[in-house]
Amino acid sequence: MVAASERLSAMATDTHFGFRQVPLDEKQGLVDEVFHKVARRYDLMNDLMSAGLHRAWKDAMLTAVNPPKSDRPFSLIDVAGGTGDIAMRVVAAGGTKTTATVVDPNTDMLAVGRERATAQAYDHAVTFVEGNAEALPFPDGAFDAYTIAFGIRNVPRIEVALKEAYRVLRPGGHFVCLEFSTVDVPGLEALYDLYSFNLIPAIGRAVTGDAEAYRYLVESIRKFPKPEAFATMIRAAGFGRVAHQSLTGNIVALHSGWRL
Ligand SMILES: C[S@@+](CC[C@H](N)C(=O)[O-])C[C@H]1O[C@@H](n2cnc3c(N)ncnc32)[C@H](O)[C@@H]1O
């Protein structure tokens, strides 16, 4: 029989992968598998699943980042940057000295990103680096802004990633995070559940041949802390002027904090 103390210590080192409880050290491998499977169809799936809405959500993130239009140097780190969508938008909106570094542990997502950056002539300003949000391979204070879009819920130790975000930002640097939230609009809630638990895995199966990967994505959204709880975690990492804004009936939340 397992003693209560052993059960408690096992729970402390467990986390969730979608609705499954898994040992903390196994989550990253499982997440990596999901994104290896979907990398080639990832951008198409984003458009299909969100009916193009992810573009509007990313526009809201871009407005928050607000890269300078002048020739002032501005460096962005886009963590969990995947195929480079946010990085390329920021570089396109900023002045000639705006640069972006995409960090992601998944080499397949990065490969798609590099191809896109070359095809769209952004490779002079966007760099792709293999790395993990929990241990960023950069010195303290290296960046003006840190973005993470639909990425933080995949990270096993979120509080470690938030501390890393704080560390790599210069004083005055801006942390901006886009993440799915909890739909709490009566009526929309039931419709959203029906759509996400039934239609999204079916679209995933049709487009990528993999329903499971998309089931994980939907389940992981439900396990992510509510915006107020996540804002508390951002504050605990040291950020000030922490705020969040809900988008599209709370489907998504845009979080912001400053390294003061
Ligand atoms: C849903 S995609 C988001 C991609 C991109 N930010 C976007 O909005 O299109 C999530 C990304 O998180 C990455 N990821 C998973 N675990 C990570 C970790 N520990 N650190 C950084 N990125 C991670 C995945 O490889 C994947 O590319």
Side-chain angles (χ1 to χ4, degrees):
M1 205 172 99
V2 184
S5 60
E6 273 176 55
R7 274 204 309 276
L8 270 177
S9 91
M11 275 162 65
T13 53
D14 274 3
T15 186
H16 40 77
F17 173 73
F19 288 165
R20 267 166 61 199
Q21 192 160 333
V22 297
L24 193 53
D25 291 339
E26 281 177 23
K27 174 163 172 165
Q28 189 67 57
L30 294 165
V31 169
D32 291 346
E33 240 175 77
V34 166
F35 289 100
H36 282 305
K37 283 185 196 154
V38 304
R40 289 275 145 202
R41 294 293 178 102
Y42 176 78
D43 292 309
L44 170 66
M45 271 303 286
N46 268 352
D47 273 327
L48 290 176
M49 283 186 316
S50 72
L53 272 172
H54 76 107
R55 292 167 188 266
W57 299 329
K58 286 173 176 170
D59 283 348
M61 177 173 237
L62 181 62
T63 303
V65 173
N66 191 22
K69 309 279 179 283
S70 67
D71 286 343
R72 179 159 64 83
F74 182 81
S75 61
L76 169 80
I77 179 168
D78 182 36
V79 177
T83 58
D85 219 11
I86 298 292
M88 288 189 268
R89 280 163 193 266
V90 170
V91 165
T96 54
K97 291 194 183 130
T98 297
T99 56
T101 304
V102 175
V103 180
D104 199 290
N106 198 300
T107 49
D108 290 331
M109 294 291 279
L110 291 173
V112 176
R114 282 195 190 97
E115 285 166 23
R116 285 182 69 196
T118 305
Q120 296 176 37
Y122 284 119
D123 35 10
H124 65 289
V126 182
T127 313
F128 292 84
V129 175
E130 189 181 337
N132 192 307
E134 294 179 8
L136 295 170
F138 302 100
D140 298 0
F143 297 96
D144 297 301
Y146 174 113
T147 49
I148 183 160
F150 307 115
I152 194 87
R153 73 181 192 284
N154 298 302
V155 176
R157 298 163 186 86
I158 293 175
E159 59 298 333
V160 176
L162 291 172
K163 286 208 177 98
E164 274 293 88
Y166 188 85
R167 182 186 68 75
V168 299
L169 279 171
R170 65 164 170 81
H174 196 186
F175 168 84
V176 187
C177 171
L178 196 57
E179 192 48 270
F180 287 102
S181 182
T182 312
V183 173
D184 48 15
V185 177
L188 182 61
E189 208 176 337
L191 203 66
Y192 182 63
D193 271 356
L194 198 72
Y195 174 72
S196 44
F197 284 109
N198 296 289
L199 264 168
I200 288 186
I203 301 173
R205 183 186 296 112
V207 177
T208 69
D210 198 307
E212 275 315 302
Y214 284 90
R215 209 177 310 285
Y216 157 71
L217 292 181
V218 172
E219 290 178 2
S220 63
I221 292 170
R222 304 312 156 96
K223 297 301 281 186
F224 191 69
K226 288 190 196 305
E228 291 70 23
F230 185 52
T232 303
M233 293 172 78
I234 298 172
R235 271 186 216 101
F239 289 102
R241 287 167 54 203
V242 174
H244 61 86
Q245 171 192 350
S246 83
L247 306 172
T248 324
N250 239 7
I251 292 178
V252 164
L254 183 69
H255 295 266
S256 161
W258 296 84
R259 177 168 180 170
L260 299 176

